[in-house]
Amino acid sequence: MTRIGPQFCWLWQSVICALACLLALHPFSSSTSNFADAAPPEFTSTPRNRIFFWKVTASTLAPDGVSRPVLLVNDKYPGPKIEVNRGDYITVVVQNALDVPTSFHWHGFTMRDDPWYDGVPGMNQCPIPPGTNFTYTFGTDNISGTHWWHAHFENQYIDGLVGAIIIHEPPETDPFLHAYDEERTIVISDWYHQPTGPLLAHYLTPESLGMEPVPNNGLINGKHTFNCANVMPADLKCEKGERTIFHFLPNRRYRLRIINTGAAAPFLFSVDQHQLQVIEADGTNLNPILVDSVPINTGQRYSVILTTNQEPKNYWMRAEFGLGCLPKPTNLDPVILAEVRYQGAGAAEPTSVGRFVPDPASKTPQDNPAFVEACKDLDLFQLHPLQPVPILEPISKSVQVRISFKANENDNITRGYLNDITYAADPWNPTMMQNLKEIVQYDVSQHVMTIDKRDSIVQIILDNSRGGEHPFHLHGHVFQVVAQGKGLYEEGKSQLSAVNPLRRDTVTVPGRGYTVIRFKADNPGVWALHCHIEWHVTTGLVMQFVELPDELRAMHIPRQVAQLCDTAPPAGFKAHTGFMPPN
């Protein structure tokens, strides 16, 4: 497969950056051509530069029949899919037509050589001002598989700014090229019937006791139904929604790329009467294992192969909420459904039955075991990468990160803490810009940990011995998961996955337990480590690594990235107030 040479990529990036700088200096007007009308690039097997034009707007949508204000890219939910080949160069031109700032993160990308495009205000960049354009440009030489993008300013992705990214491997290096016949992308999400503004207005008060907002519903590829009798508040407009339908041919093998883009909820994914062969986790190809269902936490991705070898009829696809790790819901249907229709089976609603069938003779309530199974990862000791890599050692730096929540003594609001620090950095004063000074004193609330030595092996012990489960995501790296269990981790005593450990970028830290990850410090940048329950990000469950600061300083931040910080915050801006549409 022909590769785009580095000199050509550098030249192309220079041209795009020059264009972006020009656009950023000249905000668009109402007469500016609509970027959303631009045709997406043709998908071919030849490596090339792929340019995507996005327009970010506020709108109204009813994905489950309940109408609510949303934020959208190109008027779509989920947003437009980025589908490219490994070796392609991705350029995303963002037109921010909102009246508030925004930014975008490319979840699963290590951003090697492009750390300023990771998209986290306060760390890598300043937010994209309203009424302006900004261009993200980054390569894909070291990445393939199933990933996603989402807004990373405030809580905007909860309001609709999410989408899939699929990076195909070249045929000559794709180990699963002949393992399946077709593929489908499946985006699963929890869903709220109110925008983040009013939800945060209650959550960030002493009265909430730190109990995060509970979803009202869930969606599969942006669709589901809802019983309008259960709408809260009752004055919300509600009409019958619809479910997503997948049309499958008998005796075919389908690769299902499953992405959880939710704000808080883990799910247990399954298809009635079909087994699933797991072949990928977060972009890492795996030695295949056969399962009946797949737990998938917020931010995680899996690829499974489903073979349509059952009786040709229609079956339910299920995404069952992890109710065992959510605050008690009030009007939530815990089982989200889509239809799998075999060719020739007609359009009748499926009558298939899931694994859990309540005993009608029971006189006590019966809990679906899926609600607990969804709250933990697949067995770590069953998941091993297809391309083996030895466990990273010796450890150069081991850091215990204690996860806790407590009421803040100043306002009595419950906040998240990592090692007794709650993160509260300034989006308009990014750590990467501060690092331009050779001597810098970071504020405690930025929660910065510096890694100075290249190729040092960093071990992070995520200690969650006092609380419920958390999905943790590390930017800038694909890490090894070397241990996971209940109670406290004990070095030298707790069981390790020491032979070809799983590599991924988002991992569940079990309730009242621990997860231990390792990575090699070889990627200069400012990288966030945070819980991917978005409400917990708001309350401070975040820290950051300044990795190889001297090398990062010598890389020279592109001018268009630095120019974002020339624009002050909007007048009256207040952090963590969410999306509050005008009446």
Side-chain angles (χ1 to χ4, degrees):
M1 191 177 199
T2 305
R3 287 279 182 269
I4 299 174
Q7 290 182 335
F8 183 80
C9 279
W10 176 86
L11 177 61
W12 177 254
Q13 185 176 9
S14 299
V15 171
I16 289 295
C17 285
L19 173 62
C21 287
L22 181 63
L23 288 171
L25 290 171
H26 298 281
F28 62 83
S29 66
S30 58
S31 62
T32 302
S33 61
N34 190 344
F35 285 163
D37 293 337
E42 177 187 0
F43 181 73
T44 69
S45 59
T46 305
R48 55 184 279 192
N49 292 294
R50 312 278 183 179
I51 308 176
F52 301 85
F53 295 95
W54 287 4
K55 184 176 182 179
V56 188
T57 57
S59 186
T60 301
L61 199 68
D64 62 350
V66 181
S67 183
R68 55 149 290 184
V70 292
L71 302 176
L72 302 176
V73 169
N74 294 358
D75 295 322
K76 294 180 180 179
Y77 180 80
K81 178 166 67 173
I82 293 176
E83 188 168 11
V84 301
N85 297 304
R86 183 161 62 85
D88 285 349
Y89 212 77
I90 296 175
T91 298
V92 182
V93 183
V94 178
Q95 180 187 18
N96 182 8
L98 302 174
D99 58 3
V100 294
T102 192
S103 74
F104 289 92
H105 170 60
W106 320 97
H107 189 118
F109 283 66
T110 59
M111 286 297 161
R112 192 174 297 275
D113 301 323
D114 302 301
W116 32 78
Y117 293 126
D118 193 48
V120 184
M123 293 189 191
N124 323 105
Q125 67 167 88
C126 289
I128 305 170
T132 67
N133 309 297
F134 181 76
T135 301
Y136 291 95
T137 60
F138 46 92
T140 64
D141 281 339
N142 65 337
I143 188 172
S144 62
T146 308
H147 307 283
W148 63 299
W149 59 263
H150 59 84
H152 218 297
F153 181 73
E154 293 288 295
N155 302 94
Q156 291 176 343
Y157 97 67
I158 303 177
D159 291 307
L161 296 181
V162 300
I165 305 177
I166 308 301
I167 305 177
H168 296 278
E169 293 194 53
E172 61 267 25
T173 60
D174 185 353
F176 298 114
L177 180 66
H178 302 295
Y180 58 93
D181 305 299
E182 301 180 46
E183 66 176 61
R184 302 285 188 270
T185 301
I186 300 175
V187 176
I188 302 173
S189 179
D190 49 26
W191 189 249
Y192 296 81
H193 289 157
Q194 296 184 78
T196 51
L199 296 175
L200 285 168
H202 172 70
Y203 180 48
L204 297 178
T205 63
E207 289 72 28
S208 76
L209 301 177
M211 304 296 281
E212 60 268 12
V214 179
N216 302 108
N217 205 350
L219 307 173
I220 297 178
N221 282 2
K223 294 182 179 181
H224 200 235
T225 59
F226 191 79
N227 183 349
C228 292
N230 293 331
V231 169
M232 296 171 55
D235 59 349
L236 291 177
K237 181 181 178 181
C238 181
E239 299 175 355
K240 184 178 180 180
E242 61 181 15
R243 298 185 180 97
T244 296
I245 299 172
F246 296 92
H247 296 276
F248 287 170
L249 297 171
N251 299 310
R252 300 277 283 180
R253 301 163 302 170
Y254 290 87
R255 178 176 184 163
L256 308 181
R257 297 179 180 268
I258 312 161
I259 309 169
N260 184 346
T261 66
F267 290 93
L268 190 73
F269 177 88
S270 63
V271 178
D272 290 352
Q273 299 177 33
H274 291 75
Q275 287 191 301
L276 307 171
Q277 188 180 46
V278 183
I279 63 169
E280 178 212 352
D282 295 358
T284 297
N285 291 324
L286 302 175
N287 290 314
I289 64 169
L290 204 59
V291 299
D292 294 317
S293 56
V294 177
I296 182 167
N297 216 328
T298 304
Q300 292 184 328
R301 295 87 64 210
Y302 285 100
S303 279
V304 302
I305 295 176
L306 177 147
T307 302
T308 51
N309 55 6
Q310 299 300 304
E311 180 185 348
K313 61 179 185 178
N314 300 333
Y315 299 88
W316 288 121
M317 177 185 290
R318 300 174 185 268
E320 298 171 279
F321 271 98
L323 295 186
C325 43
L326 290 175
K328 186 176 181 180
T330 53
N331 64 340
L332 173 65
D333 184 346
V335 182
I336 309 307
L337 300 171
E339 295 185 29
V340 170
R341 292 185 181 177
Y342 273 58
Q343 185 184 51
E349 186 173 277
T351 58
S352 62
V353 177
R355 289 187 303 149
F356 173 66
V357 180
D359 181 1
S362 174
K363 297 181 180 180
T364 58
Q366 301 170 69
D367 289 331
N368 186 340
F371 301 156
V372 174
E373 291 175 29
C375 300
K376 54 188 179 183
D377 285 340
L378 284 169
D379 185 354
L380 173 64
F381 297 94
Q382 291 186 12
L383 300 180
H384 298 283
L386 196 61
Q387 183 69 37
V389 173
I391 189 170
L392 292 171
E393 55 185 6
I395 299 168
S396 310
K397 187 173 190 173
S398 185
V399 182
Q400 183 175 20
V401 177
R402 297 181 308 276
I403 303 167
S404 63
F405 287 83
K406 59 185 177 182
N408 185 285
E409 60 183 15
N410 295 323
D411 54 19
N412 207 30
I413 295 173
T414 299
R415 301 188 187 277
Y417 293 81
L418 298 179
N419 289 350
D420 294 322
I421 298 174
T422 187
Y423 177 84
D426 179 0
W428 283 270
N429 188 20
T431 306
M432 189 174 291
M433 300 298 182
Q434 296 178 49
N435 182 65
L436 293 175
K437 302 175 183 178
E438 292 191 13
I439 300 177
V440 57
Q441 182 68 44
Y442 297 111
D443 191 85
V444 172
S445 66
Q446 291 180 261
H447 203 165
V448 171
M449 183 170 294
T450 301
I451 305 172
D452 293 304
K453 185 179 178 182
R454 172 170 276 277
D455 294 334
S456 58
I457 305 303
V458 181
Q459 174 173 276
I460 306 297
I461 303 167
L462 293 163
D463 172 9
N464 188 34
S465 55
R466 292 182 288 175
E469 63 83 35
H470 296 275
F472 262 77
H473 173 50
L474 175 62
H475 293 219
H477 286 277
V478 177
F479 50 73
Q480 291 184 339
V481 188
V482 300
Q484 196 172 48
K486 290 289 189 177
L488 290 169
Y489 174 74
E490 296 183 77
E491 192 77 54
K493 294 183 179 181
S494 298
Q495 185 180 10
L496 291 183
S497 177
V499 179
N500 189 23
L502 175 63
R503 302 189 299 273
R504 66 185 319 165
D505 58 64
T506 307
V507 67
T508 299
V509 186
R512 301 193 180 280
Y514 61 84
T515 295
V516 182
I517 65 175
R518 293 180 188 177
F519 65 92
K520 179 185 286 188
D522 60 359
N523 189 17
V526 178
W527 309 120
L529 174 68
H530 64 89
C531 175
H532 222 289
I533 295 174
E534 184 67 359
W535 309 109
H536 294 174
V537 171
T538 300
T539 58
L541 221 55
V542 182
M543 63 182 296
Q544 56 183 315
F545 295 97
V546 177
E547 185 172 337
L548 308 178
D550 293 338
E551 293 186 38
L552 176 61
R553 193 176 302 116
M555 290 172 68
H556 304 298
I557 299 170
R559 181 167 166 245
Q560 67 138 351
V561 177
Q563 282 184 318
L564 287 173
C565 299
D566 292 343
T567 303
F573 173 81
K574 184 178 179 182
H576 309 317
T577 53
F579 173 41
M580 189 75 76
N583 293 326

